[in-house]
Amino acid sequence: MKKKLIAGNWKMNGSLEANASLVRSIQGGLDAAQCHIAICVPTPYLAQVKDLIAGGNIELASQDVSAHAYGAYTGEVSAQMLREFGVRYSLVGHSERRQYHGETDATVAIKAQCALAAGITPIVCVGETLEERESGRTEDVVRRQLAAVIHANGHCISEIVVAYEPVWAIGTGRTATPEQAQQVHAVLRAQLQAATVHAERVSILYGGSMNAANAEQLLAQVDIDGGLVGGASLKAQDFLAIIHAAR
Ligand code: 13P
């Protein structure tokens, strides 16, 4: 069985002082890592966190990557720049970027391509809104979102990570049940299997109000290969409990 991946997404939270204390507390609570661990930190803190985690089991991740390689794109950060700071994974297409920054399926697909080209594993986020779920469109939506990335990336698709994050479960305390999550993960797995013979390599994470209490049951589902954790990744004890549930 492949090792699970637990990725913490700090979103726009942190400070030099808070980051140092959080990372030290997480490191202090880790035994021999039973799973892959990553933290997705705000861009200005990449250098700080790179140093803090050096030599340990935690890997560095960014929360976004530019769809351009270089040039006149004020405010953007390229995959190559992220790579220079030791970034191993990058979120792409998080629902907050799709919702507040107008990212389309096509943009997300190009971002995944840029990350792969620089040797960064994109964590491609997909997920339906409450309205889409209630109108029975969940599977169509996540399949459409993933299809764009498969189409743009061809055989490299086996090198990505997928994160299923139902928008209605993000930051709401309302988690998908393990059965609801598994059902969507199975759909995504089947779609990957149709696209590559190496679909088993692709980890499919669940995200959306994952916490110390519900992680074990979610992670026990056959197609849930890890978690993408928001709020609970900002508290060392909660994040560690999720990591321990991923044994
Ligand atoms: P919460 O765990 O706070 O619901 O956030 C999930 C998320 O968006 C992680 O990317």
Side-chain angles (χ1 to χ4, degrees), residues 7-9 11 91 94-96 125 165 169-173 207-211 228-233:
N9 177 7
K11 307 194 179 184
L91 299 182
H94 190 280
S95 66
E96 288 150 16
C125 303
E165 297 207 304
I170 295 178
T172 58
S209 298
M210 186 180 260
N211 59 39
L228 181 53
V229 186
S233 74

